[in-house]
Amino acid sequence: MKTVKIIVNGQTFTANFEENATASELLSQMPMTLPMLNLYSRELTYRFKQALPANEAHTSGYTVGDIAYWKPRHSFVIFYKQTGEVISDLQQIGHINTSHLAQFQSLGNVEMRFEKEDFSS
């Protein structure tokens, strides 16, 4: 697992990224600031212009705090509210280290910064 700092509106969260091709590609692009869209009252999303590798994508549910990639729209997603939906072509990337993400719902569209942490530990 790799640790990533996520900064939004002056608040910092940490997330653990898994070891897969999608996570590796995102880590290689950090630090980066992305304009995240607040969609479906459940997620913050950024749509990349180019597809990311996602060899392990499958149909699955999610938990609050999951970070994933949805292949059909090249979407980088942070889930902040559970709706019970099962989503096809979803690649797990990681998970935010808190379950207190309800405040994301009131953010609207927002810029988020993603930075790699020290990987030596």
Side-chain angles (χ1 to χ4, degrees), residues 54-109:
N55 303 335
E56 301 169 32
H58 61 280
T59 299
S60 70
Y62 63 90
T63 60
V64 171
D66 276 355
I67 301 170
Y69 176 71
W70 188 54
K71 284 179 66 172
R73 301 266 328 250
H74 310 165
S75 299
F76 174 63
V77 180
I78 297 173
F79 292 102
Y80 62 77
K81 182 179 175 186
Q82 182 57 255
T83 63
E85 186 171 355
V86 174
I87 302 169
S88 63
D89 294 320
L90 198 62
Q91 169 71 50
Q92 184 70 20
I93 295 171
H95 192 82
I96 295 178
N97 299 322
T98 183
S99 60
H100 304 291
L101 299 177
Q103 71 267 24
F104 283 13
Q105 189 166 0
S106 62
L107 287 178
N109 298 340

Side-chain angles (χ1 to χ4, degrees), residues 16-33:
N16 292 330
F17 272 37
E18 296 186 10
E19 293 187 20
N20 60 45
T22 314
S24 293
E25 177 61 30
L26 288 167
L27 289 164
S28 75
Q29 296 181 34
M30 292 182 190
M32 63 182 171
T33 301

